[in-house]
Amino acid sequence: QRDDAPTCAGFLAIACGSFHSVGLRNDGTVVIWGDSSNGQRNDAPTSAGFVAIACGVRHNVGLRNDGAVVTWGDSPGGQRDDAPTCAGFLAIACGSFHSVGLRNDGT
């Protein structure tokens, strides 16, 4: 158990990386806790509007309600470098060092 884990209610989803976790709150904001020695918590979004979250080993992905993808955390293998800049995504997922997204056209 971590000392910095949230103790409040109101979460819709939880995702876990290797040594960090991300929670999606009812209001569409994200909360990150755990280790950040490799930048897992760097550049975390502070705005609302998220509908899904996913974690890799040291990076994170969020899906916004407009279908846009947001990435944050570490990127030693380019996990954040090729993130899409357009909207139109329905789902996201992370592997250890990569991420994928499903577009609304099925691709």
Side-chain angles (χ1 to χ4, degrees):
Q1 182 175 347
R2 299 229 14 140
D3 293 339
D4 59 348
T7 57
C8 54
F11 286 89
L12 295 174
I14 299 285
C16 296
S18 287
F19 298 101
H20 73 288
S21 301
V22 178
L24 176 61
R25 296 186 53 81
N26 292 339
D27 63 2
T29 58
V30 295
V31 178
I32 303 130
W33 64 95
D35 186 45
S36 192
S37 61
N38 290 301
Q40 297 93 317
R41 295 165 62 177
N42 292 357
D43 304 320
T46 57
S47 60
F50 287 89
V51 295
I53 52 173
C55 292
V57 170
R58 300 187 314 206
H59 75 288
N60 311 286
V61 178
L63 179 64
R64 296 189 54 81
N65 56 12
D66 64 358
V69 174
V70 177
T71 62
W72 68 94
D74 198 22
S75 187
Q79 293 88 337
R80 297 178 58 192
D81 297 345
D82 296 326
T85 57
C86 57
F89 286 85
L90 294 176
I92 53 169
C94 288
S96 294
F97 296 100
H98 69 286
S99 302
V100 295
L102 176 65
R103 292 182 186 268
N104 58 13
D105 66 0
T107 60

